[in-house]
Amino acid sequence: MRHVLTSLCAVGGALAARPFLNEPDTGFDDVFGSLPAGELPPLDQLVGLPDFDAAARRHLPIQNYTYYRNGAAAEWSYRNNLEVFNRYSLRPRTMVDIVDIESSLPTTILGHNFSAPFFISPCARGGYGNNDAEKGLIEGAANGNILYIPAIYASLTIEEISTFKKEEQVVFQQLYLDSNDTASEALFARAEASGAKALVFTIDSAANGNRHRAARYGVGSADASYTKITWDFYDHIRTLTSLPIILKGIQTVEDAKIAVERQVPAIYLSNHGGRQIDGARSPLDVAIEIQREAPEVFSQIEVYADGGVRYGADVVKLLATGVRAVGLGRPFMYANVYGTAGVERAIELLKNEIAIDAANAGIADLKKIDPSVVDWTPNWASS
Ligand SMILES: Cc1cc2nc3c(=O)[nH]c(=O)nc-3n(C[C@H](O)[C@H](O)[C@H](O)COP(=O)(O)O)c2cc1C
Ligand SMILES: *[C@@H]1O[C@H](CO)[C@@H](O)[C@H](O)[C@H]1NC(C)=O
Ligand SMILES: *[C@@H]1O[C@H](CO)[C@@H](O)[C@H](O)[C@H]1NC(C)=O
Ligand SMILES: *[C@@H]1O[C@H](CO)[C@@H](O)[C@H](O)[C@H]1NC(C)=O
């Protein structure tokens, strides 16, 4: 029996909609089901990012797993982040010479070189998955040469995490900020001293997240207060640091356009992994909205996005809208159960999937991807 978290019944009960499967059935339980309870499958036998979720679920205490896994309320936004990618089908072109696709994976994020257009999203409490906490995340990112964004509510402090940083490794620091300038200035100084090259200010959680699954196990949000976050506040905090401040949690074309007007260096589309307000759209839908109503935004500032990315094709679809780089939260927290080697393997698996999926879609060069590779008419029948 699969791990079915929720099943939906159609209105009137006449039609049963397809149940939501948190873990796709690709044979994980058939192959690893007989392992002793809690034992981790061999890392080299994990074939894709969803396997890390399955492995972590079997291995971790339920409270620990629940902190990573949970979404807000009935978890529609969490599920939708995963399912939305199937609503937009690919339009693969053929007769294209794609053999050099891998050379187009490297990219820049705010001017810094990385080996791939994806990064590790900021997630609190690495210690719930591994006794070494964030060590595996920052080391794995260095070895795979991708961006890591430590969370301010990480299990380790900014300074502790930075002791694992490789020379030349670029990290950005995530922050929650409120109207206490003394506290903000202290955080800016610590991030700068530890070598962070940019700040990522999370603006999608002005209030506590409504998290039922987490509340059941006493593992709620690390950031639970009401916070006054406005454009004037953003303009003000910019005067307190010389580091660029990226805004994380933009969810509408309106706010994206204001960010351009306010000369924000980069925006990061996110619904916090569906953990804050149930019903919030997926970042893919927000990116499509920007592509339809204000496509110029993608060339005016850098746009990043995260939420539900699990496969190479998901990355391809987000890049096709104009998004420059894509974040992943839970997959890396689950990979970090295996420590540095797990994070490295997750990076390698995703790099390979992006390259082969892009190639099979007829994309010769990821830098020249455009919206025509996707049919943007939603295919509701598929979810
Ligand atoms: C366990 C966990 C903790 C998180 N903590 C933070 C945080 O402290 N700050 C933040 O901006 N986002 C946080 N997020 C949201 C992630 O940065 C990211 O937006 C989200 O995980 C993306 O969705 P995905 O998990 O489906 O990839 C957290 C997400 C998870 C799963
Ligand atoms: C980034 O890569 C470009 C092109 O490969 C190179 O010219 C540049 O020196 C690199 N920048 C840094 C800081 O390494
Ligand atoms: C579960 O989380 C707690 C912290 O809340 C930590 O002490 C413990 O080591 C974690 N368990 C595992 C297996 O990582
Ligand atoms: C503001 O932050 C500083 C430094 O963290 C702290 O000492 C002070 O008590 C805070 N002020 C208020 C009003 O909370």
Side-chain angles (χ1 to χ4, degrees):
M1 183 59 195
R2 296 301 306 168
H3 186 61
V4 180
L5 287 171
T6 310
S7 64
L8 305 172
C9 286
V11 178
L15 292 164
R18 263 202 296 186
F20 166 70
L21 295 178
N22 190 58
E23 295 161 21
D25 183 0
T26 59
F28 184 95
D29 282 351
D30 300 331
V31 173
F32 301 120
S34 56
L35 284 181
E39 188 166 311
L40 283 171
L43 182 56
D44 63 1
Q45 288 179 35
L46 300 191
V47 299
L49 299 193
D51 280 2
F52 288 95
D53 186 335
R57 176 176 59 78
R58 291 173 49 98
H59 175 74
L60 292 175
I62 185 71
Q63 296 87 337
N64 297 44
Y65 177 72
T66 297
Y67 177 67
Y68 290 162
R69 159 64 182 78
N70 91 91
E75 303 187 329
W76 178 85
S77 288
Y78 167 81
R79 294 199 304 273
N80 187 57
N81 279 0
L82 297 167
E83 293 176 340
V84 70
F85 291 102
N86 300 317
R87 234 168 264 147
Y88 302 98
S89 303
L90 288 163
R91 304 177 65 249
R93 297 300 300 270
T94 56
M95 305 306 190
V96 179
D97 174 1
I98 49 69
V99 298
D100 207 21
I101 184 68
E102 288 185 14
S103 70
S104 70
L105 278 176
T107 194
T108 61
I109 301 177
L110 272 191
H112 304 283
N113 289 335
F114 296 100
S115 68
F118 64 89
F119 57 88
I120 304 182
S121 296
C123 292
R125 302 184 190 165
Y128 276 51
N130 192 299
N131 286 330
D132 290 331
E134 285 77 21
K135 177 174 182 280
L137 294 164
I138 188 162
E139 288 187 348
N143 297 345
N145 192 14
I146 64 164
L147 172 65
Y148 172 47
I149 306 176
I152 188 61
Y153 291 129
S155 298
L156 301 178
T157 63
I158 295 178
E159 293 77 12
E160 287 167 340
I161 293 173
S162 75
T163 63
F164 300 113
K165 191 145 64 88
K166 293 253 157 67
E167 209 162 330
E168 308 294 311
Q169 180 176 6
V170 171
V171 303
F172 296 172
Q173 177 64 49
Q174 182 268 336
L175 296 174
Y176 291 107
L177 299 168
D178 63 23
S179 54
N180 183 337
D181 281 1
T182 314
S184 299
E185 280 175 313
L187 284 173
F188 295 157
R190 288 174 60 200
E192 207 162 340
S194 79
K197 295 291 187 258
L199 303 172
V200 175
F201 174 28
T202 303
I203 58 168
D204 63 17
S205 37
N208 196 4
N210 177 24
R211 303 179 183 177
H212 293 191
R213 184 188 298 275
R216 206 172 299 291
Y217 294 99
V219 288
S221 178
D223 165 55
S225 55
Y226 290 108
T227 314
K228 180 175 166 180
I229 302 170
T230 64
W231 287 109
D232 286 347
F233 176 65
Y234 176 70
D235 286 343
H236 171 65
I237 57 166
R238 292 182 88 173
T239 66
L240 306 180
T241 176
S242 57
L243 290 174
I245 306 181
I246 298 160
L247 292 178
K248 174 172 188 278
I250 295 281
Q251 298 180 68
T252 56
V253 65
E254 291 93 325
D255 283 347
K257 281 159 55 178
I258 298 172
V260 171
E261 278 163 26
R262 297 264 172 167
Q263 297 179 315
V264 176
I267 58 171
Y268 183 158
L269 312 178
S270 179
N271 65 1
H272 215 106
R275 297 163 75 81
Q276 283 304 120
I277 174 170
D278 202 19
R281 291 181 300 174
S282 85
L284 178 64
D285 276 324
V286 177
I288 294 169
E289 178 178 82
I290 296 173
Q291 175 56 235
R292 282 204 182 114
E293 295 181 29
E296 66 280 5
V297 167
F298 290 113
S299 48
Q300 288 166 327
I301 53 176
E302 294 194 358
V303 180
Y304 321 128
D306 74 14
V309 174
R310 302 292 181 267
Y311 302 96
D314 301 346
V315 178
V316 168
K317 288 172 189 176
L318 274 166
L319 296 182
T321 65
V323 164
R324 185 173 188 89
V326 166
L328 296 91
R330 294 180 186 83
F332 284 118
M333 300 309 271
Y334 299 140
N336 188 42
V337 170
Y338 289 85
T340 307
V343 174
E344 270 182 68
R345 176 143 178 91
I347 293 169
E348 284 314 311
L349 287 168
L350 187 59
K351 277 184 186 169
N352 180 55
E353 283 193 18
I354 295 170
I356 61 180
D357 285 350
N360 281 317
I363 295 160
D365 179 348
L366 276 168
K367 299 295 179 306
K368 298 193 179 133
I369 195 169
D370 71 60
S372 70
V373 71
V374 177
D375 178 355
W376 296 111
T377 313
N379 169 17
W380 292 100
S382 73
S383 56

